[in-house]
Amino acid sequence: MTSSATDDLRERTGAPVVVRLLAQVPAPFRVGGDAATAGRVLLLFAGAVVVIGAVFLGADQHELVVLASTSTAMLLLVLVSLRVPWRRGSRATLAFPVVLLLALGVLGPTTSGIAGAFLGLIPLCFVYVGLFHRGRDALALLPMAWCAYIAMVTALGGRVVVRLAVYGITWWAIAQVLALTIAYQRAILRSLRADARTDALTSLGNRRGLDDRLAAARPGDCVVICDLDHFKDVNDTHGHAMGDHVLERFGHAVDQHLRRRDYAARYGGEEFVLVLPRTEPVQAVNMLRALRAEWAEEGTGVTFSAGIARVTATTPPGSALAAADIALYRAKQAGRDRFRIATAALDAPRAAEAPTAGAQASHAGRHDLGRPDAAPAGERAAGPDGSDAERPGADPDRRGTRSGC
């Protein structure tokens, strides 16, 4: 199954029932979205009811011609709608119930009393509006519905105004109730989707949300893996409640240092993954330095290490995540509380590399960008007190500030 087919299946399995039912409509009739599809079903159903009704109502030849012509006209409009470029969410699809009401209005004057048998089709117009449009859009259909009703009923009686008012309120209420129900259902589904992609402890994303975000990463984005150092000692010494508190506070600190376009997720245990769109590795390092200074002020006594990799045309997001993981491993090997940028050498499997102490020292001198005394050329390191220093290439568009943590 292709990724697009999978996404479509996920969307429909979490959609309102009526949308899942529309998925059973043959593909050629689903052009233009769910509202257009349901509009075609509405006209086809009404046309079929008119034809079947003509058979059982004992219509004469003239009435049969009128009823058949009405059904044929609705069928032709369905075929024409297949060529119309409908826009999702457009009110243009209100044309479907309008056409049905016009057709019903024509039946009244052109037949001899049998049009009243099709009065039950009028509420279907308001059901359609409630399912696919705002409830207040039903008000625009009420005048046409009243006209169709008057044309179809042979004997109105003296209380016609009262009857029209009762029917109008009922039709409008049908649309309102359905519209509110659909809106509530969609809100619940959005909440469930958000909960399914959110880590309950840190309020960051989880693995499911991370997979979706990584799939959308593009060349030029940075992937960062952060890991709390010696976190097991926190659980063993102070208990899991303290460990959960440390994870929660670190998640909050990470969230405060993200830009609006950035994304962070708890990868598992004490590991966190950041996806930074359109970010240079040096900018990622600057952000991590600010995060480290802020995190130190929390007073937990726990440090963190990080590995950084960049998505490129030849390094897809999955490979960049693996490269960042290897860079994190190198940072741990070099003594923790530091950051490493993945290079081509770091993309090799861990097992294939067993560096000597001298090689490790040389490598650390080139890539240990987390150490205060090893800032890249042209970049000022953070001050010894943890205050923010001016850094070329730093991105000022941050979601949070030091005062907000």
Side-chain angles (χ1 to χ4, degrees):
M1 183 180 293
T2 62
S3 59
S4 59
T6 302
D7 293 341
D8 183 68
L9 178 62
R10 288 177 180 174
E11 180 180 353
R12 291 194 178 278
T13 53
V17 175
V18 65
V19 176
R20 298 203 298 272
L21 290 176
L22 290 176
Q24 307 304 317
V25 176
F29 288 93
R30 295 205 301 267
V31 177
D34 294 326
T37 301
R40 297 183 191 106
V41 172
L42 175 66
L43 293 183
L44 290 175
F45 175 78
V49 169
V50 169
V51 170
I52 295 173
V55 175
F56 291 96
L57 290 173
D60 58 30
Q61 184 175 2
H62 170 72
E63 291 172 338
L64 285 175
V65 171
V66 172
L67 295 175
S69 300
T70 303
S71 299
T72 302
M74 287 191 286
L75 176 60
L76 291 175
L77 288 172
V78 167
L79 297 177
V80 170
S81 73
L82 296 174
R83 310 296 298 176
V84 175
W86 304 100
R87 291 186 303 172
R88 291 184 180 273
S90 172
R91 299 179 67 189
T93 52
L94 287 171
F96 291 104
V98 167
V99 167
L100 177 54
L101 291 174
L102 289 175
L104 294 176
V106 170
L107 291 180
T110 55
T111 58
S112 301
I114 65 173
F118 305 113
L119 283 173
L121 294 176
I122 293 179
L124 291 182
C125 298
F126 293 90
V127 171
Y128 173 85
V129 172
L131 291 175
F132 297 99
H133 292 274
R134 296 169 298 185
R136 60 176 176 268
D137 289 336
L139 294 174
L141 290 185
L142 278 180
M144 297 188 64
W146 281 327
C147 292
Y149 177 83
I150 293 173
M152 297 171 72
V153 177
T154 54
L156 293 174
R159 300 180 178 178
V160 60
V161 175
V162 176
R163 293 168 63 185
L164 289 177
V166 171
Y167 284 134
I169 293 174
T170 304
W171 295 335
W172 174 81
I174 289 173
Q176 284 290 339
V177 169
L178 286 174
L180 291 174
T181 301
I182 292 296
Y184 175 76
Q185 186 177 10
R186 286 174 176 165
I188 292 296
L189 289 173
R190 283 194 297 268
S191 177
L192 291 175
R193 287 195 185 105
D195 290 343
R197 287 164 171 77
T198 302
D199 179 66
L201 180 61
T202 63
S203 298
L204 300 178
N206 59 13
R207 286 291 292 269
R208 181 182 286 120
L210 176 62
D211 290 342
D212 294 341
R213 193 58 178 260
L214 282 175
R218 295 291 180 265
D221 298 350
C222 264
V223 177
V224 180
I225 299 183
C226 300
D227 184 271
L228 297 179
D229 299 325
H230 299 297
F231 182 74
K232 184 177 182 300
D233 294 343
V234 177
N235 285 330
D236 293 342
T237 305
H238 303 285
H240 289 278
M242 176 58 72
D244 288 348
H245 176 73
V246 171
L247 291 173
E248 181 183 5
R249 297 309 304 165
F250 186 76
H252 177 74
V254 168
D255 183 68
Q256 292 298 304
H257 281 81
L258 295 180
R259 301 163 298 187
R260 294 188 183 278
R261 65 175 183 259
D262 296 339
Y263 177 81
R266 186 181 175 194
Y267 193 44
E270 66 273 18
E271 283 191 332
F272 297 79
V273 173
L274 284 58
V275 181
L276 311 177
R278 305 186 300 277
T279 301
E280 296 290 335
V282 170
Q283 289 177 302
V285 169
N286 289 336
M287 188 274 285
L288 290 173
R289 283 180 171 156
L291 173 61
R292 180 171 58 184
E294 183 72 30
W295 178 238
E297 294 180 0
E298 290 284 340
T300 62
V302 179
T303 59
F304 72 93
S305 303
I308 306 165
R310 196 179 191 196
V311 179
T312 65
T314 58
T315 307
S319 299
L321 181 66
D325 187 47
I326 296 174
L328 171 64
Y329 176 72
R330 299 294 174 226
K332 294 285 190 179
Q333 278 188 326
R336 295 178 171 80
D337 192 20
R338 62 200 68 209
F339 319 133
R340 289 287 183 85
I341 296 177
T343 64
L346 292 178
D347 293 335
R350 296 179 187 174
E353 192 173 346
T356 63
Q360 271 194 336
S362 175
H363 187 78
R366 289 194 304 271
H367 301 290
D368 191 3
L369 300 182
R371 299 184 53 155
D373 58 346
E379 181 185 17
R380 258 169 66 191
D385 60 349
S387 60
D388 290 333
E390 184 179 356
R391 306 173 184 87
D395 195 331
D397 182 24
R398 295 291 168 195
R399 186 181 297 166
T401 62
R402 189 173 299 277
S403 61
C405 297

